[in-house]
């Protein structure tokens, strides 16, 4: 049930029953027939359409428009929650980085054909964005069966390929000679082969997205499971001190979201739905940025196609406009009720006439909500 509808319906019911009861008590001593007529007319003429129809038609239209633009929101409660967000948390890899434009290079010993098969086969088993990038960098290399596959979130993966033990992950996970070194390190049968260096390209519109959240008094923070190799580049976007965190495990991300909520701020998190699934579920609103919207991401409240990332401010603006339109519909209905009830309480308005007038107000509210949300979407360039 929509929170807006729940709050409005509670007050609406109490007020209408109170007015109907007072009208009956006022006329009953002098004219019982008029008292019954007034009581019935008040209940009929009262306009419940603002509560019953405004939200499904207005917010439903907003959901439909967002879906057409590849931003898939679970329900109207999520649209309402957007307006209360006061802290935004970003994952890095696959969320604010454009995987299709990343550059992958390997540094180390020359890889044999068997080495390449082993590394690609292992990476192919993982859905992590970096693993996918490694797989895509070797399009001609075949994939073989992997046995005893193990993935340690935020650290690395391991398995047996063609009888060899293969591992991929951070320098600390591989136990390389320089644990602070940057890159995705590789190991085969206990020998470090080298590392993949993946240079990220940030998504189009990232500065505008961050600027939008700042304008909404929702400070942005980056939580990355990767090392700090791109800290200098990210500082240009996340300029406030204490907003960049690296080497974050899934538990670290979850704890950060909980801590922010304990400070009294509602949290919106954007991630890829993998290592940050726990934090996405814990956040008040979780958005998965997906290259493929067919990915199953049960922890999230909305799925945003990666190509539409730059339009996120427009999407959230439309959601906010939907809430504003619903509130205005309530005001419009209140004006109608004041006029209608002023006649109904006198006992001179026939319940039959009231039953004819009430649907007209419902049609007005429906057209108002649909038209205003459609107009705003057109202004934002979403239609």
């Amino acid at each position: 049930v929509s929170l807006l509808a729940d709050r409005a319906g509670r007050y609406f019911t109490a007020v209408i029953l109170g007015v109907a009861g007072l009208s009956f008590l006022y006329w009953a001593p002098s004219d019982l027939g008029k008292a019954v007529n007034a009581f019935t007319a008040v209940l009929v003429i009262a306009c419940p359409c603002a509560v019953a129809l405004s939200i499904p038609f207005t917010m439903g239209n907003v959901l439909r428009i967002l879906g057409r633009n590849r931003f898939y929101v679970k329900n109207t409660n999520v649209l309402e929650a957007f307006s209360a967000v006061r802290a935004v948390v970003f994952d890095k890899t696959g969320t604010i980085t454009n995987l299709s434009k990343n550059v992958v290079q390997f540094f180390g010993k020359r890889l044999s054909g068997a080495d390449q098969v082993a590394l690609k086969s292992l990476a192919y088993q993982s859905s992590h964005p970096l693993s996918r990038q490694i797989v895509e960098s070797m399009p001609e290399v075949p994939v073989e069966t992997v046995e005893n596959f193990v993935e340690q979130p935020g650290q690395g993966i391991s398995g047996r390929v063609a009888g060899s033990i293969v591992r991929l992950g951070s320098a600390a996970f591989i136990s390389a000679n320089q644990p602070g070194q940057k890159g995705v390190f590789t190991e085969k049968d206990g020998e470090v082969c080298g590392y993949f260096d993946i240079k990220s390209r940030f998504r189009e519109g990232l500065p505008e997205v961050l600027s939008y959240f700042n304008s909404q008094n929702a400070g942005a923070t980056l939580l990355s499971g990767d090392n700090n190799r791109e800290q200098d580049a990210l500082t240009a976007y996340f300029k406030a001190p204490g907003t960049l965190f690296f080497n974050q495990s899934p538990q670290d991300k979850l704890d950060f979201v909980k801590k922010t909520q304990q400070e009294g701020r509602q949290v919106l998190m954007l991630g890829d739905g993998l290592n940050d699934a726990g934090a996405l579920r814990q956040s008040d609103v979780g958005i998965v940025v997906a290259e493929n919207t067919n990915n199953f991401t049960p922890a999230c409240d909305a799925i945003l196609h990666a190509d539409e990332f730059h339009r996120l401010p427009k999407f959230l603006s439309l959601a906010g406009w939907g809430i504003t339109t619903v509130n205005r519909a309530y005001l419009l209905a209140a004006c109608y009720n004041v006029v209608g009830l002023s006649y109904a309480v006198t006992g001179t308005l026939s319940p039959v006439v009231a039953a004819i007038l009430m649907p007209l107000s419902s049609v007005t509210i429906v057209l108002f909500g649909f038209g205003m949300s459609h107009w705003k979407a057109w202004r934002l360039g979403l239609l």
Side-chain angles (χ1 to χ4, degrees):
V1 178
S2 169
L3 298 179
L4 277 174
D6 184 56
R7 289 194 297 266
R10 190 184 308 120
Y11 294 121
F12 177 85
T13 302
V15 170
I16 296 304
L17 289 177
V19 171
L22 290 174
S23 300
F24 179 85
L25 293 175
Y26 179 82
W27 291 110
S30 58
D31 188 337
L32 184 60
K34 180 177 285 190
V36 173
N37 195 62
F39 180 82
T40 305
V42 167
L43 294 181
V44 173
I45 197 67
C47 178
C49 54
V51 176
L53 297 179
S54 181
I55 288 179
F57 276 90
T58 302
M59 305 303 280
N61 192 42
V62 170
L63 287 175
R64 181 185 66 83
I65 294 171
L66 293 177
R68 286 180 56 184
N69 287 274
R70 299 192 293 183
F71 183 37
Y72 308 98
V73 181
K74 184 163 61 176
N75 53 43
T76 59
N77 288 341
V78 178
L79 296 179
E80 295 175 37
F82 284 142
S83 60
V85 168
R86 290 296 174 266
V88 182
V89 176
F90 288 86
D91 177 45
K92 182 178 75 70
T93 304
T95 302
I96 65 171
T97 58
N98 192 332
L99 299 180
S100 63
K101 295 184 179 180
N102 285 356
V103 178
V104 181
Q105 293 179 296
F106 183 81
F107 297 91
K109 77 169 192 177
R110 183 178 181 83
L111 297 176
S112 66
D115 293 336
Q116 294 182 43
V117 169
L119 294 176
K120 181 177 179 179
S121 299
L122 181 63
Y124 188 80
Q125 303 303 311
S126 173
S127 57
H128 190 278
L130 294 180
S131 296
R132 298 204 302 269
Q133 289 291 287
I134 292 172
V135 170
E136 291 172 6
S137 70
M138 297 184 284
E140 305 300 327
V141 177
V143 174
E144 293 190 359
T145 302
V146 177
E147 300 175 344
N148 302 325
F149 176 78
V150 176
E151 182 166 10
Q152 298 185 30
Q155 298 183 50
I157 54 179
S158 62
R160 181 186 294 274
V161 182
S164 296
I165 302 298
V166 186
R167 300 204 300 163
L168 277 170
S170 66
F173 176 74
I174 299 299
S175 300
N177 293 330
Q178 296 177 313
Q181 202 168 344
K182 304 171 182 178
V184 180
F185 280 76
T186 66
E187 180 187 274
K188 183 180 179 184
D189 292 328
E191 179 185 358
V192 177
C193 304
Y195 65 93
F196 289 96
D197 180 52
I198 303 176
K199 297 187 181 299
S200 301
R201 296 291 183 269
F202 298 119
R203 293 200 184 278
E204 177 188 352
L206 178 58
E208 290 75 17
V209 170
L210 293 174
S211 176
Y212 170 81
F213 285 123
N214 287 332
S215 69
Q216 301 299 308
N217 296 318
T221 302
L222 179 75
L223 301 180
S224 175
D226 298 335
N227 54 44
N228 63 349
R229 67 182 183 277
E230 296 179 308
Q231 181 170 355
D232 292 341
L234 288 165
T235 302
Y237 300 100
F238 296 85
K239 300 178 181 179
T243 56
L244 288 175
F245 297 88
F246 300 96
N247 300 308
Q248 298 291 294
S249 67
Q251 185 62 46
D252 291 333
K253 295 178 181 180
L254 176 60
D255 292 341
F256 184 91
V257 172
K258 288 181 177 180
K259 179 182 177 182
T260 304
Q261 290 173 326
Q262 290 170 358
E263 295 172 355
R265 292 185 289 167
Q266 294 202 32
V267 179
L268 164 66
M269 180 166 186
L270 291 97
D272 57 15
L274 300 172
N275 293 333
D276 44 27
L280 281 166
R281 183 180 293 276
Q282 177 64 35
S283 61
D284 297 283
V285 183
I287 300 177
V288 165
V289 180
E291 300 283 349
N292 181 358
T293 51
N294 289 324
N295 288 343
F296 181 59
T297 49
C300 69
D301 299 299
I303 300 176
L304 174 65
H305 195 286
D307 292 344
E308 309 297 337
F309 180 83
H310 65 287
R311 297 206 291 171
L312 182 59
K314 292 184 177 182
F315 297 152
L316 299 184
S317 295
L318 180 60
W321 178 259
I323 302 297
T324 300
T325 299
V326 169
N327 289 330
R328 289 176 178 174
Y330 288 167
L331 180 60
L332 182 62
C335 294
Y336 170 82
N337 282 325
V338 169
V339 174
L341 292 176
S342 65
Y343 287 99
V345 296
T346 64
T348 59
L349 182 63
S350 168
V352 175
V353 176
I356 295 173
L357 294 176
M358 194 273 289
L360 296 178
S361 67
S362 299
V363 173
T364 302
I365 293 298
V366 169
L367 293 178
F368 176 79
F370 184 85
M372 292 296 286
S373 57
H374 223 70
W375 173 81
K376 184 65 173 180
W378 175 77
R379 287 292 302 272
L380 291 171
L382 303 180
L383 291 176

